[in-house]
Amino acid sequence: MIAFLVKRLFHALLVMFVISVIAFAIQESLGDPIQQMVGQSVPESEREELRERLGLNDPFLVQYLRFAVNAAQLDFGYSYIFNQPTTEVILRHLPATLELVAASTFLIIVLSVPIGVYSAIKPRAWLSRFFMGVSIVGISIPVFLTAIVLIQLFAIGMTWAPFPADTTWGSWLNDLITTEGGMPAYGRGDPLHVFGTWYTNFASLKGLTYLVLPAISLASIMLPLFIRLIRAEMLEVLQSEYVKFARAKGIRLRRIYFLHALKNTMLPVITVGGVQIGTLVAYTILTETVFQWPGMGLMFLNAINRSDIPLIITYLMIVGLIFVITNTLVDLIYGLVNPTVKLTGNPA
């Protein structure tokens, strides 16, 4: 275990090193931060003086070595926009993103497992066909369009009257498909303070209402994928010999489905799902922009628009670290589910 964790720590350092080099290499194409920091009336001499003071005129290698030395001391520089250490800016926006990803992950797990298992157990049922059709549509729709539709339906509201309003059944159907709106769809509201820079929406019912639409929107990216993945793996497991043998022994079907078959179904799902859930952090950029959710994604987009190079580099390194941590947790969970797998790579 210790050797495994040391290996993953090395991987994390390597990933962060590569990301920092790439970010530094493309920083010139991201725009001129001086132009964003000062007004149009500032003379060129003052701009050049500020550029010299920030070290932007130094050669690439000098800039990177200076950054690497400071980063080894956990100093990733100052944000040009906020005029604060980039780590403080990241830590202030990180809780909002993590809560959004956690809520979306919860929805994905709660919905994908029963729907995927049901669709595998009864593949020819009309409800299974409905789920598969909806999952295809869900994969095809981009997240920002899903977010806009959710805002229109549940935040603004929409009146539908395709049926005759002068009949009882028509009036009932019109009321059924009409949405009143009123759901919050802008920002986090008034989250409760936990400690330090951590504010949470999980501590109150009102705070949870602000999470509903962004979480559903973000979950719509991965939910169809997980449903189809669980269904495909479950169908394969149900055709295996040990499941047929369990049926022949007279073991209850519920026990076969949810104990023997589901456990083996989840092994590849955990592997693929862990990586995919890690990518939700990257997908939050679009979701947070549409809902103006004050997380790292919205912060990163503002940093790009304002050419805040230190903040961009720190964000990319933190996201790379989150991917490494996610993959490490996936490997640990995989080892618990399947004890024959050795984390160090030695045979069991």
Side-chain angles (χ1 to χ4, degrees):
M1 176 66 71
I2 295 178
F4 169 74
L5 294 177
V6 170
K7 182 180 179 181
R8 282 311 173 93
L9 177 61
F10 173 75
H11 286 172
L13 295 176
L14 181 61
V15 167
M16 296 177 74
F17 167 73
V18 173
I19 289 176
S20 65
V21 171
I22 295 175
F24 260 88
I26 65 173
Q27 63 177 325
E28 292 186 359
S29 61
L30 296 177
D32 184 10
I34 302 299
Q35 185 177 356
Q36 301 292 334
M37 295 172 64
V38 300
Q40 296 291 335
S41 60
V42 176
E44 185 63 30
S45 59
E46 293 186 16
R47 295 177 181 231
E48 193 64 27
E49 181 183 351
L50 180 58
R51 194 186 308 275
E52 191 69 30
R53 190 165 68 246
L54 294 176
L56 298 178
N57 290 332
D58 296 336
F60 170 81
L61 187 58
V62 174
Q63 291 188 46
Y64 182 77
L65 289 178
R66 181 170 57 239
F67 169 80
V69 171
N70 293 332
Q73 305 172 23
L74 301 181
D75 179 9
F76 294 92
Y78 270 71
S79 167
Y80 300 150
I81 302 175
F82 299 95
N83 196 25
Q84 294 176 347
T86 56
T87 50
E88 292 184 7
V89 178
I90 292 289
L91 290 177
R92 191 164 62 248
H93 292 84
L94 180 61
T97 295
L98 292 182
E99 286 196 355
L100 180 57
V101 171
S104 302
T105 303
F106 174 78
L107 291 177
I108 291 172
I109 294 174
V110 169
L111 295 177
S112 64
V113 173
I115 293 176
V117 171
Y118 175 83
S119 300
I121 295 174
K122 298 182 177 181
R124 299 185 181 278
W126 69 268
L127 191 57
S128 298
R129 298 178 185 273
F130 171 77
F131 286 141
M132 291 302 100
V134 172
S135 67
I136 293 176
V137 176
I139 293 175
S140 306
I141 298 178
V143 61
F144 68 87
L145 182 58
T146 302
I148 293 173
V149 171
L150 289 175
I151 291 174
Q152 180 64 54
L153 291 178
F154 300 108
I156 300 174
M158 182 172 290
T159 301
W160 297 73
F163 302 103
D166 54 350
T167 62
T168 303
W169 64 271
S171 177
W172 181 80
L173 288 176
N174 289 335
D175 292 339
L176 183 64
I177 62 178
T178 296
T179 57
E180 296 293 336
M183 289 287 294
Y186 186 91
R188 297 183 71 187
D190 189 18
L192 297 179
H193 181 255
V194 181
F195 64 88
T197 59
W198 194 284
Y199 289 80
T200 181
N201 284 71
F202 289 143
S204 65
L205 182 61
K206 184 177 180 180
L208 288 174
T209 59
Y210 280 87
L211 263 172
V212 172
L213 295 184
I216 294 175
S217 175
L218 187 59
S220 68
I221 305 169
M222 299 298 175
L223 181 58
L225 173 65
F226 274 68
I227 290 175
R228 301 185 73 86
L229 178 62
I230 292 174
R231 177 182 180 273
E233 295 295 333
M234 189 75 171
L235 284 172
E236 183 177 350
V237 170
L238 291 178
Q239 300 300 320
S240 61
E241 294 298 326
Y242 75 90
V243 171
K244 295 178 181 179
F245 181 71
R247 285 175 173 172
K249 288 181 63 176
I251 299 177
R252 290 183 302 173
L253 291 179
R254 181 177 299 178
R255 183 178 178 84
I256 294 175
Y257 292 149
F258 295 100
L259 181 61
H260 301 289
L262 183 59
K263 181 178 179 180
N264 289 279
T265 297
M266 296 308 294
L267 294 177
V269 173
I270 290 173
T271 303
V272 177
V275 177
Q276 294 296 329
I277 288 177
T279 61
L280 286 178
V281 178
Y283 280 114
T284 57
I285 296 176
L286 293 175
T287 305
E288 291 180 0
T289 301
V290 175
F291 291 98
Q292 288 298 290
W293 188 262
M296 290 201 307
L298 184 60
M299 177 212 69
F300 177 65
L301 190 61
N302 291 331
I304 292 178
N305 292 332
R306 302 284 294 275
S307 302
D308 194 340
I309 307 299
L311 189 56
I312 293 173
I313 295 173
T314 306
Y315 168 84
L316 293 175
M317 294 176 66
I318 293 297
V319 170
L321 180 62
I322 290 175
F323 268 90
V324 174
I325 293 175
T326 303
N327 290 336
T328 302
L329 292 176
V330 168
D331 288 341
L332 292 175
I333 295 173
Y334 198 96
L336 293 176
V337 175
N338 186 5
T340 61
V341 175
K342 294 296 182 180
L343 296 178
T344 57
N346 298 325

